[in-house]
Amino acid sequence: EHGTSYDNSKYDDYCIEHESDFIGLLDNLKTVKIYNFMDNLKVVESTTLEEFLEWLQYKIKFLRYLLKNSKVLERMIIRIRENVKFLDMSKTTKLELLLQLTQELLAFPRASTDVEISLI
């Protein structure tokens, strides 16, 4: 079995340390636009769907945090980098990755009941 382990502890520590800095900003946040969401996939040497999702977890944790704490959020637009390379993944596996990511985002708890999430 091969695999790569991604240490998200530094990211988690940073978020915990600076959480109070973000809370005031999130009270007024209405639109979030994220560009080039999957911009570094080529650095991941794995080819399984599970390993890609594990690698994306630090970014996903940020999105979860925004959704959970942004009370007036209306729109979250996540734009995947154009021409993103999925290594040797088949087209079906690419679609599975995007579907699983979308399902995960839609299942997150939200502070705003009106938020619209778009993955494009």
Side-chain angles (χ1 to χ4, degrees), residues 50-87:
E50 292 77 19
E51 288 173 339
F52 271 109
L53 289 172
E54 182 182 346
W55 181 81
L56 287 172
Q57 283 307 304
Y58 78 96
K59 291 182 178 188
I60 292 171
K61 283 182 181 183
F62 178 67
L63 299 177
R64 177 191 298 257
Y65 179 82
L66 290 176
L67 288 168
K68 184 178 177 183
N69 294 289
S70 302
K71 295 176 185 165
V72 296
L73 188 62
E74 297 171 355
R75 297 182 73 197
M76 177 178 279
I77 302 165
I78 304 163
R79 183 176 293 273
I80 296 173
R81 181 175 171 253
E82 287 185 37
N83 302 320
V84 65
K85 301 228 185 297
F86 286 84
L87 300 175

Side-chain angles (χ1 to χ4, degrees), residues 7 19 41-42 48 53 65 67 69 82 90 98 101:
D7 181 12
E19 184 171 9
L41 283 183
K42 60 187 170 192
T48 68
L53 289 172
Y65 179 82
L67 288 168
N69 294 289
E82 287 185 37
S90 69
L98 295 176
L101 178 60

Side-chain angles (χ1 to χ4, degrees), residues 90-101:
S90 69
K91 188 172 186 174
T92 301
T93 305
K94 293 175 198 177
L95 291 174
E96 287 175 12
L97 171 66
L98 295 176
L99 178 62
Q100 190 162 345
L101 178 60

